[in-house]
Amino acid sequence: AVKWTRRNAQNIDLNRDLRSKQTPEIQCFVRLLDEFRPDIALNLHDQRTFFSQKGHGEPSSLALAIPEASESLSTDPGIINNRRFLRDYILQMYNSAESSEHEGWSVFDESYYPRSIGEYVQESGCATLLVESGVVGTDLSRSLSVQQTKSFLKMFLNGLSVDLLSHDRSADAHLDGIQ
């Protein structure tokens, strides 16, 4: 974090090491993922300033994506249901929030990146949401986007805990026994 890189002491990009599992950090991560088997994962990233909302020139302050799965797994019913659940949940959050709360939200590229953590976790059967924290206006220190990301995460987790999805029984079933 101090060096502002996702490379470890071996100079390996941890976000690209999931398939080869060369690093002790990723070996530990995979072991914990296998042992814990979470139902939902949040994959948190910083976003570069040149990503913007469609039709707007301003950078996105918060971009969301639900990672794809490989072509061989893209028709897996569990992965399809996980992706649908997150899409419905995010849409509900968006529609129930004040417009000021979701100003600057956008959808990030959901292309398949086979060596990325999000895709690996998604393929493990865990509903995975990528949260890209961007830049608000000229705030290159990202203090405003940090606040917006905190607000989003609080809303996301609070929604799960108080079951804001009560009118959608299929989504509720997904939440039963959630870890």
Side-chain angles (χ1 to χ4, degrees), residues 41-139:
L42 298 172
N43 187 2
L44 308 176
H45 284 265
D46 281 325
Q47 179 174 276
R48 295 181 183 167
T49 57
F50 57 78
F51 291 109
S52 62
Q53 297 175 343
K54 272 190 176 172
H56 296 82
E58 292 295 315
S60 297
S61 55
L62 184 72
L64 306 171
I66 302 164
E68 273 287 355
S70 67
E71 194 172 317
S72 64
L73 292 173
S74 64
T75 58
D76 178 279
I79 291 172
I80 290 170
N81 287 338
N82 283 344
R83 295 186 84 234
R84 184 178 298 130
F85 164 74
L86 284 172
R87 276 204 175 99
D88 292 347
Y89 184 61
I90 296 302
L91 183 59
Q92 255 188 283
M93 282 179 57
Y94 186 88
N95 289 335
S96 66
E98 299 292 325
S99 61
S100 62
E101 291 179 296
H102 55 66
E103 187 176 320
W105 288 20
S106 66
V107 175
F108 192 74
D109 179 13
E110 292 185 354
S111 299
Y112 181 65
Y113 296 97
R115 299 181 323 150
S116 295
I117 288 176
E119 281 76 352
Y120 183 91
V121 175
Q122 186 79 279
E123 290 174 351
S124 78
C126 177
T128 304
L129 177 65
L130 173 66
V131 180
E132 295 267 353
S133 180
V135 173
V136 177
T138 59
D139 181 28

Side-chain angles (χ1 to χ4, degrees), residues 21-56:
K21 300 177 187 73
Q22 298 174 342
T23 62
E25 296 92 338
I26 293 301
Q27 291 166 11
C28 179
F29 175 82
V30 169
R31 187 175 59 253
L32 290 171
L33 181 66
D34 289 344
E35 289 173 9
F36 183 60
R37 309 286 313 154
D39 294 304
I40 296 176
L42 298 172
N43 187 2
L44 308 176
H45 284 265
D46 281 325
Q47 179 174 276
R48 295 181 183 167
T49 57
F50 57 78
F51 291 109
S52 62
Q53 297 175 343
K54 272 190 176 172
H56 296 82

